[in-house]
Amino acid sequence: MNYQLTLNGEQFAEEPRPGQCLRTYLRDRGWFGVKKGCDAGDCGACTVQVDGEPVHSCLYPAVRAAGRSVTTVEGLAKDGELHPVQQRFLEAQGFQCGFCTPGFLMTASALNEEQLADLPRALKGNLCRCTGYRAIEDAIRGVRHTEEPCAGQAVGRSLGAPAGPQVVTGTARYTFDVEVEGLLHLKLLRSPHPHARIRSIDTSAALRVPGVVAVLTHHDAPDKLYSSARHEHPTEDPDDTRVLDDVVRFVGQRVAAVVAESEAAAEEGRRRIAVDYEVLPFVLDPELAMLPGAPVLHPKGPQSRIARPEQNVCGEAHGELGNVELGFAEADLVYEETFQTQWVQHASLETHGCLAYFEQAESDGEPGQERLVVRSSTQVPFLTRRALCDLFDLPLEQIRVVAGRVGGGFGGKQEMLTEDIAVLAATKLHRPVKLEFTRAEQFYGATTRHPFRITVKLGAKRDGTLTAVQFRVVANTGAYGNHGPAVMFHSVGESMGIYRAPHKKVDAYSVYTNGVPAGAFRGYGLGQVTFALESAIDELARRLGLDPLVLREKNVIGPGEQMAGPLGEEEDLHIASYGLDQCLQVVRTALADDTSAELAPEGWLVGQGFAMSAIACGPPGGHIADATVKLLDDGSYDVAVGTAEFGNGTTTVHKQITAGALGTTVDRITIRQSDTDLVKHDTGAFGSAGTVVAGKAVMKAANALAEQILSFTAEYARTPRSLLRLTAEAVECDGRRVTLKEVHEAARRQGVVLSADGHFGGSPRSVAFNSHWFRIAVDPDTGEMRILRSVHGADAGKVMNPLQCRGQVEGGVAQALGATLFEQVLLDEQGQVSTAAFRRYRLPAYADVPRTEVHFSETSDAIGPLGAKSMSESPFNPVPPAFANALRDATGIRFTEAPFLRDKVWQALAERERGKGRPA
């Protein structure tokens, strides 16, 4: 075969492997801007241009590219100049994690005028999980949002992400965007049964497959129990998991690992493993799982910290404030309803995966002891290192964990799902090992959002004063308890604490079932319970004949009040700034000036609704961040901080904080992060802690360094400290200018290192608030729903970067709309996931997401750095109940089970119409 193609202007003649797709052909040659998101043509992350036409390279056979011209994102820029579309994506910040960005760029740069006029159709082949699409549309339209940096005045400005140029040129390096020699590939055999005991495993046929190096089973794994969840305090989660177990508890649980010279050999070896299972009884419903006689999933002792293993209760919480029976007796109206939420996938476009390989550690510039490097798509590199060392009995210095740029997380990568098995293989074989989940494995081998069943009971006086609030919460944690108790506890915290009531009661359960394990997800349980409570509050107002906004204003906590709940007060949680009133005013203003009902098609039902929520700025029990800021010899600065970057914008904010403290510009600051070798401890990028915890550590370090520099310069220049001023390149000394280079050199001569550390333990914590309002229209003949207007109020304290913070809100709204309207991980009657692909699990596309008007409260927090509060998780929480309340207003029907699928809405409307025609 005479194979040749032009690739980014260069000639290539190396033939592809039989059946090889263009995506892997390009990546094999180092063009890492071509991403793997689904390998099914559903997400567009792999989009390249062939003869100028965008194609999904995961579906395009490499052999078809013969004689053609192929362009990847790396080839868009010419002669050192960015392509106009790349420049526009930078100026509009049309990305967050950036994993989908190369694909969007390759599609957008090929659009003609007709396609630009119909972006919903033009962009239907590209998905983004982070941005909410508004920023992408603005980038394509050429709308600029970024501001120019200004020395010492970075905070509060819409500065672009430091990695933006690398993201838009395809040179940002994600987990697998590196070359490792001698790499072995690991594939997992997974259980076909929801519950079974492994009698025996025959690996002989697998080992005879050419290229297969090893097959690992539970006989090779450490006989230790742990949790895949990662928290600063490991005892928050039950120890109920083994690397490889002889009992499987859900369809998809890993049974064996095949390690081979190629992915094809590993997959063939996996197919040839023979397993003899003893099939056991199983249970999928958490209510049934708690009943006598239900199959027991984890008959383990107290050392595992499972609340009641014999009843499958992973964790539980019970408490009462006052006396709810008395509260309901005093009420003029009592409303009670049960609400349900579903399994939802995080659907980060970069799947879970890691590389494990060996390197020679250096000591004083000399080769030292060999140790293991784990390069992982993780939100928690330090906690993962600690867990691996505990699991394999290794000292901390024997393992280095590195997170490159992470392609989306949303809580799903606050787990150890790949690193343990890859390290097991690497240490046994002493070879580099790669494990990368397929898109299907993300659905049945990773984690989901917890499904909840919430019964809410509310009592109120005729004037709307709440007398009692009661919850019964059952959270389905699936087959393992990772995050189960913590999510359950958090779900009934701020959700109930936002309202005053003299009598409150909670009974909450986190329950094992033989379903796919649940885990951390944006909102961490608050979203599920907020959906139920805010729907119930809205219904209560309607039945009392009161304005739902007025009822809320009458009962919400005010500035300085404590968030009281039946489980006791969290002593470190304070309302250190109060913007909830402004969030509610956003709703009132939207109602007053709204004309969007005029956009509804004739004959459609129109309604409006809103909801509100509160969330703690950081998790309870401590969240540790350490940072170091150092003056370099060229007068620039180095910041070392452990938190990971996955589109949450913390890198930008940390630069802005540093620039403000040191009177410099962000381009004179370098950040090192997410590498356990290069930075000090950080609990991780979760719990909305990137700005309020890690940012506070950076602020402390930067302020301390500024004082060091000024104090040293005062002595060096023999000038009173009070007369000095730190600027971008120098210290101004009462008319004299001492450059930072000179300061560094003088300090070096004296043996002084101008470097400062900052630490914050995550406590005390403040509270952030959000509100959301919708106007929607519903077609009674088809159940179709359209959002006519979407408005969000956000209390983020001092907004550090308005552009990025707005992007976090828009992304949270888009993800919440997916969970509200159509996202649902479905399990069949045997517990097998039946929606293990994007074409069966519908993610919001460009056409599904409205442009949301975002309004920030003007507050400054007394706890957060420079007055900031968190805003990465909280925008999700009020969206589902706001839509539910708008749907209730439009249709007159209270929908209590998410998602609100179009056919369910149509069916409910049709049943009501049929009921009207019945004789009395």
Side-chain angles (χ1 to χ4, degrees):
M1 177 182 177
N2 184 16
Y3 185 85
Q4 192 171 37
L5 82 161
T6 303
L7 175 53
N8 292 332
E10 300 179 26
Q11 296 298 310
F12 283 78
E14 188 176 352
E15 293 184 8
R17 298 188 301 272
Q20 186 175 25
C21 71
L22 185 57
R23 183 188 70 81
T24 57
Y25 180 88
L26 295 171
R27 286 186 63 84
D28 284 351
R29 280 142 193 85
W31 300 103
F32 294 128
V34 185
K35 302 303 183 190
K36 170 189 172 180
C38 64
D39 269 350
D42 295 330
C43 75
C46 68
T47 303
V48 300
Q49 292 175 9
V50 178
D51 291 340
E53 290 294 321
V55 301
H56 289 172
S57 62
C58 67
L59 297 181
Y60 195 95
V63 68
R64 283 185 57 192
R68 299 178 183 272
S69 176
V70 176
T71 305
T72 72
V73 68
E74 294 96 331
L76 275 184
K78 302 294 184 185
D79 301 322
E81 295 290 329
L82 292 180
H83 186 283
V85 172
Q86 290 173 309
Q87 186 63 41
R88 291 200 292 267
F89 265 73
L90 267 185
E91 292 173 352
Q93 289 289 283
F95 55 86
Q96 285 183 26
C97 85
F99 196 80
C100 69
T101 305
F104 270 100
L105 286 164
M106 299 314 295
T107 297
S109 62
L111 297 179
N112 58 36
E113 290 300 320
E114 182 180 352
Q115 292 167 321
L116 285 169
D118 189 2
L119 285 182
R121 179 178 293 275
L123 299 180
K124 67 179 182 179
N126 293 83
L127 294 175
C128 176
R129 190 56 158 168
C130 296
T131 66
Y133 296 103
R134 186 274 313 163
I136 293 173
E137 178 187 356
D138 285 353
I140 293 172
R141 302 292 189 202
V143 181
R144 177 170 186 154
H145 294 295
T146 54
E147 300 179 66
E148 292 299 325
C150 183
Q153 299 178 23
V155 170
R157 298 174 71 91
S158 293
L159 304 186
Q166 290 76 42
V167 168
V168 301
T169 56
T171 55
R173 290 295 175 248
Y174 296 81
T175 306
F176 298 110
D177 297 343
V178 294
E179 295 183 15
V180 179
E181 285 190 28
L183 192 63
L184 296 174
H185 299 266
L186 189 153
K187 290 292 181 180
L188 294 165
L189 176 69
R190 297 183 178 275
S191 169
H193 303 292
H195 200 192
R197 181 172 288 105
I198 298 171
R199 291 194 183 103
S200 64
I201 302 179
D202 185 353
T203 63
S204 56
L207 289 168
R208 289 195 293 269
V209 173
V212 170
V213 175
V215 180
L216 305 174
T217 71
H218 62 272
H219 297 295
D220 304 290
D223 190 17
K224 289 185 179 180
L225 291 171
Y226 65 100
S227 172
S228 67
R230 298 291 91 226
H231 283 110
E232 181 63 40
H233 306 291
T235 53
E236 289 187 28
D237 306 285
D239 289 336
D240 56 11
T241 305
R242 284 187 64 195
V243 176
L244 291 168
D245 207 333
D246 60 347
V247 175
V248 291
R249 297 175 176 87
F250 68 98
V251 176
Q253 181 169 331
R254 54 196 189 191
V255 171
V258 180
V259 190
E261 301 286 351
S262 68
E263 286 191 68
E267 288 173 350
E268 181 59 28
R270 178 177 59 186
R271 283 190 285 268
R272 297 194 186 188
I273 298 174
V275 184
D276 180 21
Y277 294 99
E278 175 192 351
V279 178
L280 302 173
F282 65 93
V283 60
L284 298 175
D285 187 308
E287 297 281 8
L288 299 178
M290 290 190 286
L291 296 179
V296 177
L297 272 70
H298 292 280
K300 296 176 171 67
Q303 69 278 6
S304 286
R305 300 182 303 282
I306 299 170
R308 286 188 284 133
E310 65 280 3
Q311 279 89 40
N312 293 313
V313 176
C314 176
E316 59 186 323
H318 306 280
E320 188 168 10
L321 176 68
N323 184 323
V324 292
E325 291 304 319
L326 177 62
F328 290 126
E330 294 173 345
D332 294 314
L333 178 68
V334 175
Y335 173 74
E336 183 174 6
E337 184 58 87
T338 297
F339 299 83
Q340 291 190 187
T341 65
Q342 75 282 30
W343 271 289
V344 177
Q345 234 295 315
H346 304 80
S348 50
L349 289 192
E350 182 190 38
T351 61
H352 284 78
C354 71
L355 296 162
Y357 55 92
F358 291 88
E359 71 172 8
Q360 291 291 132
E362 288 191 4
S363 178
D364 297 325
E366 297 294 327
Q369 188 178 16
E370 186 180 61
R371 48 82 178 273
L372 192 64
V373 178
V374 179
R375 181 179 172 89
S376 175
S377 182
T378 180
Q379 297 173 225
V380 283
F382 284 89
L383 301 188
T384 298
R385 178 181 66 164
R386 186 170 68 189
L388 290 170
C389 290
D390 289 344
L391 193 55
F392 293 100
D393 295 321
L394 295 170
L396 285 177
E397 60 269 18
Q398 281 293 97
I399 294 184
R400 174 188 180 189
V401 176
V402 180
R405 191 171 178 89
V406 177
F410 317 112
K413 294 173 181 176
Q414 193 192 337
E415 305 274 354
M416 187 172 69
L417 299 178
T418 60
E419 298 91 344
D420 53 346
I421 191 73
V423 166
L424 176 66
T427 53
K428 284 189 176 293
L429 300 172
H430 207 78
R431 293 262 314 264
V433 173
K434 173 186 177 181
L435 171 58
E436 182 179 14
F437 276 12
T438 64
R439 179 53 56 187
E441 284 180 300
Q442 284 293 113
F443 283 96
Y444 53 69
T447 60
T448 69
R449 187 182 192 227
H450 286 76
F452 269 58
R453 184 174 296 147
I454 312 110
T455 299
V456 181
K457 188 175 182 181
L458 303 174
K461 296 286 190 180
R462 287 189 181 87
D463 66 355
T465 302
L466 289 174
T467 61
V469 180
Q470 183 173 356
F471 289 165
R472 182 181 184 273
V473 173
V474 178
N476 185 348
T477 196
Y480 290 90
N482 46 299
H483 296 284
V487 165
M488 175 205 67
F489 275 107
H490 190 238
S491 73
V492 295
E494 297 94 275
S495 58
M496 183 176 279
I498 196 172
Y499 286 106
R500 296 190 213 96
H503 308 287
K504 297 179 179 180
K505 185 178 181 181
V506 163
D507 292 289
Y509 308 86
S510 178
V511 185
Y512 288 117
T513 67
N514 293 107
V516 60
F521 190 101
R522 199 173 202 163
Y524 213 68
L526 271 181
Q528 293 94 315
V529 176
T530 296
F531 159 60
L533 177 59
E534 286 295 291
S535 296
I537 288 285
D538 189 82
E539 195 65 34
L540 180 70
R542 291 178 181 279
R543 297 187 181 204
L544 286 169
L546 299 175
D547 182 336
L549 183 56
V550 171
L551 185 142
R552 285 175 173 82
E553 289 173 332
K554 187 178 186 66
N555 290 285
V556 296
I557 57 172
E561 292 187 47
Q562 199 70 19
M563 301 189 79
L567 300 180
E569 294 182 2
E570 296 181 65
E571 293 183 358
D572 74 332
L573 188 61
H574 308 281
I575 299 177
S577 63
Y578 188 82
L580 179 56
D581 53 349
Q582 295 179 56
C583 290
L584 294 180
Q585 184 58 42
V586 167
V587 174
R588 191 175 296 281
T589 301
L591 281 164
D593 66 8
D594 183 61
T595 59
S596 61
E598 300 170 2
L599 303 174
E602 186 177 353
W604 287 40
L605 308 173
V606 178
Q608 62 83 26
F610 82 99
M612 65 183 195
S613 65
I615 193 169
C617 297
H623 190 110
I624 296 170
D626 291 291
T628 301
V629 183
K630 183 178 181 181
L631 177 65
L632 302 178
D633 58 5
D634 64 354
S636 66
Y637 297 94
D638 175 84
V639 177
V641 60
T643 191
E645 173 64 61
F646 54 100
N648 46 357
T650 54
T651 308
T652 318
V653 168
H654 293 164
K655 278 197 170 191
Q656 289 177 276
I657 290 172
T658 305
L662 294 167
T664 189
T665 52
V666 292
D667 58 316
R668 297 179 64 83
I669 299 168
T670 301
I671 288 202
R672 293 178 294 139
Q673 58 189 12
S674 311
D675 185 332
T676 59
D677 251 23
L678 302 181
V679 297
K680 295 182 179 180
H681 182 79
D682 189 280
T683 297
F686 66 90
S688 304
T691 293
V692 297
V693 180
K696 192 152 187 175
V698 169
M699 182 188 73
K700 288 183 173 184
N703 286 337
L705 179 59
E707 184 57 38
Q708 280 186 24
I709 292 171
L710 291 171
S711 296
F712 177 85
T713 307
E715 185 176 339
Y716 168 71
R718 298 183 180 181
T719 303
R721 162 71 178 78
S722 60
L723 298 179
L724 304 188
R725 186 171 68 92
L726 187 57
T727 65
E729 298 183 6
V731 178
E732 303 289 348
C733 306
D734 191 26
R736 179 185 170 191
R737 187 172 183 270
V738 182
T739 68
L740 291 175
K741 292 181 182 180
E742 183 181 347
V743 171
H744 183 278
E745 177 59 23
R748 186 193 64 78
R749 289 196 303 266
Q750 296 182 29
V752 175
V753 177
L754 293 174
S755 175
D757 296 328
H759 171 86
F760 186 55
S763 181
R765 301 172 295 147
S766 190
V767 181
F769 300 98
N770 295 77
S771 66
H772 201 97
W773 178 84
F774 285 113
R775 172 85 66 187
I776 69 168
V778 182
D779 184 353
D781 296 326
T782 65
E784 180 184 347
M785 293 162 280
R786 291 184 191 173
I787 297 171
L788 304 178
R789 192 175 175 202
S790 171
V791 181
H792 193 97
D795 172 25
K798 170 65 177 177
V799 179
M800 310 297 275
N801 186 310
L803 175 57
Q804 286 192 168
C805 196
R806 178 184 173 192
Q808 288 292 304
V809 172
E810 291 169 335
V813 171
Q815 196 170 44
L817 278 173
T820 303
L821 295 175
F822 35 74
E823 288 187 51
Q824 187 173 25
V825 177
L826 294 175
L827 274 61
D828 66 17
E829 59 187 15
Q830 293 297 309
Q832 182 170 348
V833 174
S834 58
T835 50
F838 282 156
R839 64 188 55 191
R840 293 193 293 274
Y841 179 88
R842 183 182 165 192
L843 287 181
Y846 173 86
D848 298 311
V849 180
R851 288 180 74 95
T852 292
E853 304 163 36
V854 179
H855 302 271
F856 292 113
S857 299
E858 294 184 5
T859 60
S860 182
D861 198 68
I863 295 175
L866 304 176
K869 296 197 281 193
S870 59
M871 197 46 57
S872 57
E873 293 184 89
S874 57
F876 186 110
N877 296 334
V879 172
F883 193 95
N885 293 338
L887 186 59
R888 164 68 168 87
D889 190 48
T891 64
I893 300 170
R894 172 60 62 184
F895 290 87
T896 60
E897 185 173 347
F900 308 137
L901 300 174
R902 174 175 169 175
D903 57 340
K904 289 185 179 180
V905 172
W906 172 83
Q907 185 177 23
L909 288 168
E911 287 177 357
R912 186 180 64 182
E913 288 305 306
R914 285 196 296 270
K916 287 180 180 178
R918 292 173 187 164

